[in-house]
Amino acid sequence: MIDFSLTDNQKKLQFKVREFAINEILPVSRKYDKSGDFPLEVLQKAFDQGLMNSIFPKEIGGPGLGILDTCLIVEETAAADPGITTSLFDNCLGAEPVLIGGTEEQIERFLKPLTEELKFIAFATSEPGMGSDVAGLTATARLEGDEIVLNGRKMWVTKGGVASLPSTFCRLEGTNRHKGITGIVVPMDAEGVRVGKPIPKMGHKASNTVMIKFDEARVPVENILGEPGKGFPIAMQTFAHTRPTIGAFACGMARASMEYAIAYAKRRKAFETEIANFQAIQFMIAEMKINVDAARLLTWRAAWEADQGRDNTISASIAKAYATDHGMKIASDALQIFGGYGYTTNYLIEKLFRDAKLYQIYEGTSQIQRMVIGRHMLSKYNPVFEKTFT
Ligand SMILES: Cc1cc2nc3c(=O)[nH]c(=O)nc-3n(C[C@H](O)[C@H](O)[C@H](O)COP(=O)(O)OP(=O)(O)OC[C@H]3O[C@@H](n4cnc5c(N)ncnc54)[C@H](O)[C@@H]3O)c2cc1C
């Protein structure tokens, strides 16, 4: 049986976050986009209302919510501001490797302090010379007594400038590709860890993005997640859990773009009538609605599979690719409906258009999602009609 309805608790959560997004995020969206400041005040309010750290287990004082619940939260907040939402959600990304590969003791040691006060954990896989090809990462790890010594650089670390910890992945010296990759939680105040300046970006300005440098950085071996050299599956499972959420980010941004376009089309006149009366405009809006709904359904399926403990790698890639590619198209079409005014900073649509682009890039580009799906289709997919092919 299939049931698309939300539980009463999920409906309450959705309503609560919607109110939070309208009252606490939307009014400051432009301010943070202009200043590029980290939205600490907004995150403090979100933390106080239990809207951060959604997946942190109840046993350590977290909200204990699922990935579908997290999708409900971020769709609402991303509709108001994608950049603030990246900052809000990123603790879940940073925590996933710990929840997936860590022991109970590590979960308690690393994540419990983040439920007691507003603190941040980042996620650091990408490097200056590598993003898509995670198995090609080059930062090294060397076991030395009761320490693991790290060298190399991690690029694009979201919240790296404000986090007290990043979950990072380095390779044991002398290893190649998937073998040897090791997940490690690094205290930012460890000897040999340095943080670069915020990287200027086109959108998502309310998220802090930096490079982190490890120069003989010394971390206790108790901070290794799982076994040394066996971290690659932890990184991949992390993405399977977080990609549905990026789908939900895109749904929120696309839904807001669509709603702004509808409001503008009803008001703006051309050829002596509201532009909403032109079929060309109506069809663009209809396409937006079709694709927001389709993206949300794919996103919820991928999140639901993860919450059921199933392998959702493929559904997560499908959801991320569909929602983010259509999200970009919806933001672009919505801006088109605004005509010249869409290209100014008078309306939020130009900001959403800039913000939309990142969704197709981080946590695996649209091409990488297709690579994952294509490989699956040509190896593990079980065809119904194969036997009839001659
Ligand atoms: C604002 C921002 C925040 C980010 N936050 C984080 C973070 O917190 N932590 C983190 O670890 N990373 C983060 N990233 C990094 C992000 O995940 C990478 O940028 C992304 O995975 C792409 O990697 P790349 O930039 O190295 O591109 P590349 O891997 O160099 O790819 C360049 C182009 O080639 C394409 N390509 C690559 N391989 C293939 C292939 N096999 N087939 C077809 N096409 C291919 C890509 O799709 C892309 O179009 C962030 C990035 C940005 C911009």
Side-chain angles (χ1 to χ4, degrees):
M1 194 173 114
I2 288 181
D3 183 356
F4 294 107
S5 55
L6 299 175
T7 64
D8 284 347
N9 279 345
Q10 287 171 327
K11 283 185 205 152
K12 273 188 209 147
L13 176 68
Q14 195 179 43
F15 181 77
K16 177 178 161 178
V17 190
R18 195 166 284 174
E19 294 286 296
F20 183 83
I22 292 168
N23 296 322
E24 305 293 349
I25 299 182
L26 202 51
V28 294
S29 177
R30 263 289 181 224
K31 182 182 101 172
Y32 284 108
D33 184 56
K34 268 197 187 147
S35 70
D37 291 341
F38 188 67
L40 204 55
E41 280 175 35
V42 183
L43 299 186
Q44 183 66 58
K45 287 179 188 166
F47 176 84
D48 293 341
Q49 296 204 22
L51 301 178
M52 279 191 66
N53 306 331
S54 53
I55 57 163
F56 286 35
K58 282 195 172 139
E59 294 73 32
I60 56 160
L65 297 174
I67 293 173
L68 181 52
D69 303 320
T70 305
C71 288
L72 298 178
I73 295 175
V74 299
E75 177 175 335
E76 298 307 320
T77 57
D81 191 295
I84 291 175
T85 303
T86 289
S87 295
L88 187 142
F89 169 70
D90 194 63
N91 264 13
C92 291
L93 172 62
E96 275 289 3
V98 182
L99 294 170
I100 291 165
T103 60
E104 277 181 25
E105 183 277 323
Q106 286 175 320
I107 292 172
E108 169 121 7
R109 179 157 49 98
F110 297 130
L111 303 185
K112 194 165 193 286
L114 279 70
T115 67
E116 291 164 349
E117 60 179 309
L118 182 63
K119 284 175 128 189
F120 304 111
I121 182 165
F123 175 86
T125 301
S126 306
E127 298 181 352
M130 178 292 299
S132 301
D133 180 16
V134 177
L137 64 82
T138 61
T140 58
R142 183 177 79 244
L143 287 161
E144 226 178 74
D146 56 2
E147 288 181 323
I148 184 156
V149 185
L150 312 182
N151 280 290
R153 287 176 297 165
K154 290 291 165 188
M155 185 70 173
W156 314 114
V157 185
T158 298
K159 288 204 289 61
V162 291
S164 50
L165 305 164
S167 297
T168 194
F169 291 85
C170 298
R171 67 168 55 262
L172 294 177
E173 281 180 5
T175 62
N176 198 19
R177 302 293 300 167
H178 308 79
K179 288 179 191 156
I181 292 177
T182 305
I184 308 139
V185 179
V186 182
M188 290 300 282
D189 57 3
E191 186 193 327
V193 179
R194 277 194 291 147
V195 179
K197 289 191 185 135
I199 300 168
K201 305 187 294 293
M202 164 183 175
H204 288 246
K205 301 207 177 176
S207 70
N208 165 275
T209 317
V210 296
M211 184 196 281
I212 296 180
K213 199 168 175 207
F214 302 132
D215 185 7
E216 288 286 292
R218 293 185 168 269
V219 179
V221 285
E222 298 91 67
N223 288 24
I224 295 174
L225 299 172
E227 282 180 53
K230 303 241 167 104
F232 187 76
I234 299 176
M236 292 302 112
Q237 221 180 313
T238 295
F239 291 134
H241 281 189
T242 53
R243 282 173 181 163
T245 320
I246 309 299
F249 282 13
C251 287
M253 176 283 303
R255 192 187 82 200
S257 301
M258 174 181 73
E259 289 176 3
Y260 292 147
I262 292 169
Y264 187 82
K266 284 182 177 170
R267 200 191 311 161
R268 177 72 177 177
K269 286 191 174 169
F271 298 89
E272 298 173 355
T273 185
E274 286 78 21
I275 61 169
N277 292 325
F278 301 133
Q279 198 179 48
I281 300 287
Q282 290 168 6
F283 277 16
M284 279 164 96
I285 291 168
E287 283 297 324
M288 291 178 196
K289 173 65 177 158
I290 291 167
N291 287 313
V292 168
D293 279 14
R296 187 183 293 114
L297 287 173
L298 290 171
T299 294
W300 284 11
R301 178 184 68 164
W304 176 83
E305 281 185 6
D307 285 339
Q308 298 298 308
R310 302 183 187 191
D311 178 1
N312 71 324
T313 306
I314 303 305
S315 64
S317 284
I318 293 172
K320 189 191 183 263
Y322 193 93
T324 62
D325 288 354
H326 284 89
M328 188 70 245
K329 169 94 169 88
I330 290 167
S332 173
D333 285 350
L335 192 150
Q336 189 71 16
I337 288 175
F338 275 77
Y341 288 104
Y343 203 66
T344 69
T345 52
N346 293 7
Y347 293 100
L348 273 175
I349 189 61
E350 66 82 29
K351 176 185 178 306
L352 292 178
F353 178 80
R354 284 185 283 113
D355 289 341
K357 189 65 202 163
L358 183 59
Y359 294 147
Q360 293 177 298
I361 296 171
Y362 65 7
E363 299 215 24
T365 63
S366 296
Q367 291 71 41
I368 293 306
Q369 307 312 325
R370 285 171 174 78
M371 192 183 87
V372 171
I373 300 161
R375 278 184 184 162
H376 167 81
M377 294 308 291
L378 294 167
S379 59
K380 295 191 181 132
Y381 176 73
N382 195 7
V384 177
F385 283 164
E386 192 183 41
K387 290 193 183 82
T388 63
F389 181 79
T390 51

